[in-house]
Amino acid sequence: MLIRLQLQLPLPPPPSIPSTPLKPSQPPPSYLPTTSDSGRLFRQKLLHLQGLNVNPHKVLHVNPEFRSTPLSSLLSLESFFLTLGLSRPAIGRVLDMHPKLLTADIDAEIQPIIDFLLHEVRIPFPDIPKSINRCPRLLVTDVTHQLRPTFEFLCELGFVGNHRISCQTTLLLVSSVELTLKPKIEYLKSLGFSDKEVEIMVIRSPGLLTFSVDNNLVPKVEFFMEEMKGDLEEFKRFPQYFSFSLEKKIKPRYRALVKHGFKLPLSKMLIVSDGEFNDRLMEMRLQLAERTT
């Protein structure tokens, strides 16, 4: 039986007036209705958005239907998100990123997504806010045509049991199987890895499925093969290699090692902080100096 969330929390307190409120002596902006009562209610909606740090100009541009949405609907939506465990700053961030949510039907459009995460993906309720904060796009993605097919594909790929989708990896659910996930898998297989080896790599480092083939995977493979003269087998041991910046971390650290005639496995070269890497490099230089004296 699906568990339905009951919206029983009291409405949130009225937001504080922004530091630069509209002055009575100023003419109303063009987006404000001119009728006194409707204008007052419309202004309350905009002030409430501002209290959530949502840009009202962006909302009206992206979602013009919000003009006719009653304030009570906005408050109900906010209360619904509060029952999920989202903080008001988090709610504001989500709504600012996806203004279409402001006119969404909670029962017909948002609740089914939450039910899917809870009962099919089996994300624990306390982790629902983490999933949403990591990927607000979940709330505007269709369950039938996107979330469920991708979830089923990921399960077949090996994201089950101890490796099942969690709040850390729910962002994968918004990715298209055909346009996003499969091309990355096919690229890794083109390097000579078997289906099973690729499955193990992406399970150990799910970020592999989020990186651009052309802008991330290809340049890092080329640098590893051409300049580092590396062995592709090392990717199986440390697929997290692709999650590090090529320009800011991989290249400078590798070249610092080469400059002094040293070499380290990818994991030891990359997972430590800059300070720890510099300390390790200095220690290696001192050890080399002692051996040569």
Side-chain angles (χ1 to χ4, degrees), residues 245-277:
S245 168
L246 181 60
E247 299 299 330
K248 295 181 180 179
K249 185 157 289 188
I250 297 173
K251 286 184 177 181
R253 289 195 178 184
Y254 172 74
R255 289 168 179 170
L257 289 169
V258 170
K259 179 180 178 180
H260 299 287
F262 302 131
K263 186 176 182 179
L264 286 173
L266 290 178
S267 57
K268 292 185 177 180
M269 182 179 82
L270 295 172
I271 61 175
V272 296
S273 67
D274 289 340
E276 291 172 315
F277 175 80

Side-chain angles (χ1 to χ4, degrees), residues 122-222:
R122 300 185 68 83
I123 301 297
F125 184 80
D127 287 345
I128 291 294
K130 299 175 186 177
S131 293
I132 295 173
N133 284 326
R134 286 182 64 85
C135 186
R137 187 177 158 194
L138 284 166
L139 295 175
V140 293
T141 304
D142 184 78
V143 172
T144 302
H145 297 99
Q146 173 60 58
L147 296 179
R148 185 174 291 116
T150 299
F151 176 62
E152 292 172 351
F153 175 81
L154 292 170
C155 289
E156 293 175 1
L157 191 60
F159 286 87
V160 293
N162 293 334
H163 305 293
R164 68 178 301 111
I165 296 297
S166 69
C167 63
Q168 301 297 318
T169 51
T170 42
L171 76 168
L172 295 176
L173 297 174
V174 302
S175 299
S176 165
V177 172
E178 298 298 330
L179 300 179
T180 303
L181 302 181
K182 284 187 176 180
K184 295 170 176 56
I185 292 171
E186 291 303 316
Y187 173 73
L188 293 172
K189 289 166 61 176
S190 75
L191 298 177
F193 297 116
S194 67
D195 290 349
K196 188 61 177 179
E197 288 170 337
V198 170
E199 290 176 10
I200 293 173
M201 289 170 65
V202 298
I203 289 171
R204 290 186 60 192
S205 183
L208 279 170
L209 296 175
T210 67
F211 301 142
S212 164
V213 172
D214 294 332
N215 298 326
N216 187 305
L217 303 184
V218 171
K220 289 176 181 176
V221 168
E222 289 178 347

Side-chain angles (χ1 to χ4, degrees), residues 32-244:
L32 286 178
T34 55
T35 303
S36 59
D37 287 344
S38 62
R40 176 176 57 82
L41 295 175
F42 189 77
R43 185 172 183 274
Q44 287 180 346
K45 286 197 302 183
L46 299 186
L47 290 176
H48 198 84
L49 288 180
Q50 290 177 327
L52 290 168
N53 288 322
V54 178
N55 184 336
H57 298 279
K58 175 182 176 181
V59 167
L60 294 172
H61 175 73
V62 175
N63 188 3
E65 293 181 7
F66 180 71
R67 292 176 180 272
S68 58
T69 300
L71 176 61
S72 60
S73 295
L74 172 58
L75 297 177
S76 294
L77 180 64
E78 182 180 351
S79 294
F80 174 80
F81 284 138
L82 287 172
T83 66
L84 295 180
L86 272 71
S87 65
R88 291 194 84 238
I91 294 171
R93 174 175 168 269
V94 168
L95 296 179
D96 193 65
M97 291 179 66
H98 299 288
K100 290 291 185 181
L101 286 168
L102 288 164
T103 54
D105 184 300
I106 294 175
D107 290 333
E109 299 177 66
I110 304 178
Q111 182 68 56
I113 296 171
I114 303 304
D115 289 340
F116 170 75
L117 294 174
L118 286 171
H119 305 297
E120 295 189 44
V121 186
R122 300 185 68 83
I123 301 297
F125 184 80
D127 287 345
I128 291 294
K130 299 175 186 177
S131 293
I132 295 173
N133 284 326
R134 286 182 64 85
C135 186
R137 187 177 158 194
L138 284 166
L139 295 175
V140 293
T141 304
D142 184 78
V143 172
T144 302
H145 297 99
Q146 173 60 58
L147 296 179
R148 185 174 291 116
T150 299
F151 176 62
E152 292 172 351
F153 175 81
L154 292 170
C155 289
E156 293 175 1
L157 191 60
F159 286 87
V160 293
N162 293 334
H163 305 293
R164 68 178 301 111
I165 296 297
S166 69
C167 63
Q168 301 297 318
T169 51
T170 42
L171 76 168
L172 295 176
L173 297 174
V174 302
S175 299
S176 165
V177 172
E178 298 298 330
L179 300 179
T180 303
L181 302 181
K182 284 187 176 180
K184 295 170 176 56
I185 292 171
E186 291 303 316
Y187 173 73
L188 293 172
K189 289 166 61 176
S190 75
L191 298 177
F193 297 116
S194 67
D195 290 349
K196 188 61 177 179
E197 288 170 337
V198 170
E199 290 176 10
I200 293 173
M201 289 170 65
V202 298
I203 289 171
R204 290 186 60 192
S205 183
L208 279 170
L209 296 175
T210 67
F211 301 142
S212 164
V213 172
D214 294 332
N215 298 326
N216 187 305
L217 303 184
V218 171
K220 289 176 181 176
V221 168
E222 289 178 347
F223 179 77
F224 181 76
M225 298 298 294
E226 295 171 9
E227 183 165 337
M228 297 178 67
K229 308 299 180 185
D231 183 350
L232 287 175
E233 289 292 308
E234 197 160 2
F235 287 157
K236 292 193 295 185
R237 294 190 291 271
F238 190 68
Q240 295 87 345
Y241 165 81
F242 294 97
S243 65
F244 294 93

